[in-house]
Amino acid sequence: MADRPYIVGNWKMNGTRAMLSQARSIDRAAQNLMKVEVALAPPYTLIHPVHREAEQIGVGAQDCHPGEDGPHTGDISASMVADAGAKFVILGHSERRQDHGETNTLIREKGASALEAGMRILLCVGESEETRDEGKAESFVTRQLKASLPETLDNPEESLTVAYEPIWAIGTGRTPTVEDIGAMHCAIRATLVELYGEEQGQAVRILYGGSVNADNARDLLAADEVGGALVGGASLTAESFLGIVIAAAELQDQPA
Ligand code: PEP
C-alpha cells in the first residue's frame, strides 16, 4: 500500500466560485502536511478553477460519460474532465448508482474511458443496510468490485483507488465499527490480490467513506487496511476537512 494516507473530498453537487477560497485554504494547508496526500473532487463547473488554485492538492471529477466526445447533450467525457485538470474520476458512487441507475457494466465502461484519457479511477463500492443485516456485506461488495472494475487495468497501484462506502453510512452520521471496516477492507484486499497478484494487489489504496469527520477520523483511519478516507459533507469547509487531514498526519507520526 502507498505510504501516505490519501484523503479525498467529494463536494458532490455543492459549490460555486465563492467556494474557491475553501479550496485555496485546503491547498495552502496541505503544503505543510506533506505526510498526507490530499485531493478534492468538485463539481464539473469548478474542476478547472480548483485546478488553477491547486499547487499541492490533486483535483478529480465525480463522474464522466463512458463514450468519446460526441452527440450526448448534457454529458461530459473523460477527455473533457482531464482537459479541465482532473487527474482522477470517482466512479460507482452509490448516489450515482441510485439516482441514475448506474450498473456495474456502465461503471466498468466509464473506468476504461477514464484510463484511456490518462486519469486514475477512484472506484466506490458498498452495501445497503439490508445486505449488511443479512450477513452478506462482504460477498456483495467483493462481487460488486469485480464487476465494476475495467477489464484491463495496467499498473493498478498507479491507476486505481478503491473506496469502501457503506450506503447506510453516507451522510447519516453512522459508521460501521472499526472491526467491521477492517474486515471489509481485508476482504477487498484479498480480492485485489486475487485479481492483480500479490505485489500490485497490495499496492492499491483502499479508502473508507461514510460520515468521516474530524472527531472519528483517527479511529477510522487506524482500522486494518485503511489507506485514507473519501469525505463528503465534512469536505465542504477547509476547517472541517483539514481536521481530518491533520488526524491522518498525526496518525503517521505514531509508532506502528
Ligand atoms: C460520500 O458521499 O462519498 C461520503 C463519504 O459522504 P459523507 O462523508 O457525507 O458521508
Side-chain angles (χ1 to χ4, degrees):
M1 193 162 43
D3 288 345
R4 291 195 300 168
Y6 188 30
I7 308 294
V8 182
N10 171 14
W11 280 3
K12 309 192 187 194
M13 198 172 73
N14 295 290
T16 58
R17 283 175 296 162
M19 241 169 96
L20 287 175
S21 59
Q22 302 299 318
R24 197 177 309 124
S25 301
I26 290 166
D27 182 74
R28 300 308 178 264
Q31 294 178 19
N32 295 315
L33 293 162
M34 299 290 282
K35 288 176 186 159
V36 183
E37 188 176 342
V38 181
L40 287 177
Y44 289 134
T45 48
L46 291 182
I47 292 174
H48 191 59
V50 172
H51 166 70
R52 286 179 58 159
E53 288 291 340
E55 293 173 4
Q56 176 62 33
I57 62 172
V59 182
Q62 299 172 19
D63 185 39
C64 66
H65 189 275
E68 305 271 316
D69 298 351
H72 303 288
T73 303
D75 282 318
I76 310 257
S77 69
S79 59
M80 290 161 78
V81 292
D83 180 62
K87 295 286 185 283
F88 69 93
V89 185
I90 298 174
L91 293 176
H93 193 286
S94 58
E95 286 159 8
R96 292 215 57 89
R97 292 180 189 262
Q98 280 172 349
D99 298 354
H100 299 272
E102 293 202 359
T103 61
N104 291 330
T105 306
L106 178 64
I107 292 158
R108 189 177 257 249
E109 289 166 5
K110 289 183 176 198
S113 272
L115 294 172
E116 183 71 30
M119 293 182 289
R120 286 183 285 131
I121 305 169
L122 199 171
L123 177 63
C124 302
V125 289
E127 82 285 358
S128 65
E129 187 158 29
E130 194 184 354
T131 302
R132 176 152 288 272
D133 290 346
E134 286 168 356
K136 295 180 182 156
E138 285 175 28
S139 57
F140 175 86
V141 166
T142 51
R143 237 181 309 118
Q144 189 184 49
L145 174 64
K146 284 182 180 172
S148 308
L149 282 165
E151 218 160 301
T152 320
L153 191 74
D154 297 330
N155 198 357
E157 177 177 8
E158 294 301 320
S159 54
L160 175 67
T161 306
V162 175
Y164 167 54
E165 298 209 309
I167 298 169
W168 51 273
I170 293 179
T172 60
R174 296 166 57 206
T175 60
T177 63
V178 168
E179 290 72 26
D180 284 346
I181 292 174
M184 181 63 83
H185 280 231
C186 287
I188 292 172
R189 173 72 64 214
T191 305
L192 293 170
V193 167
E194 180 191 327
L195 292 171
Y196 303 120
E198 183 66 24
E199 195 180 334
Q200 285 291 313
Q202 291 289 355
V204 174
R205 271 191 293 215
I206 309 170
L207 314 184
Y208 167 74
S211 296
V212 179
N213 58 45
D215 294 330
N216 63 18
R218 225 184 150 95
D219 288 342
L220 299 174
L221 290 167
D224 279 352
E225 297 288 354
V226 172
L230 180 56
V231 183
S235 71
L236 294 176
T237 68
E239 190 185 358
S240 54
F241 191 53
L242 288 171
I244 297 168
V245 178
I246 289 165
E250 286 173 357
L251 214 52
Q252 289 290 91
D253 288 333
Q254 273 186 3

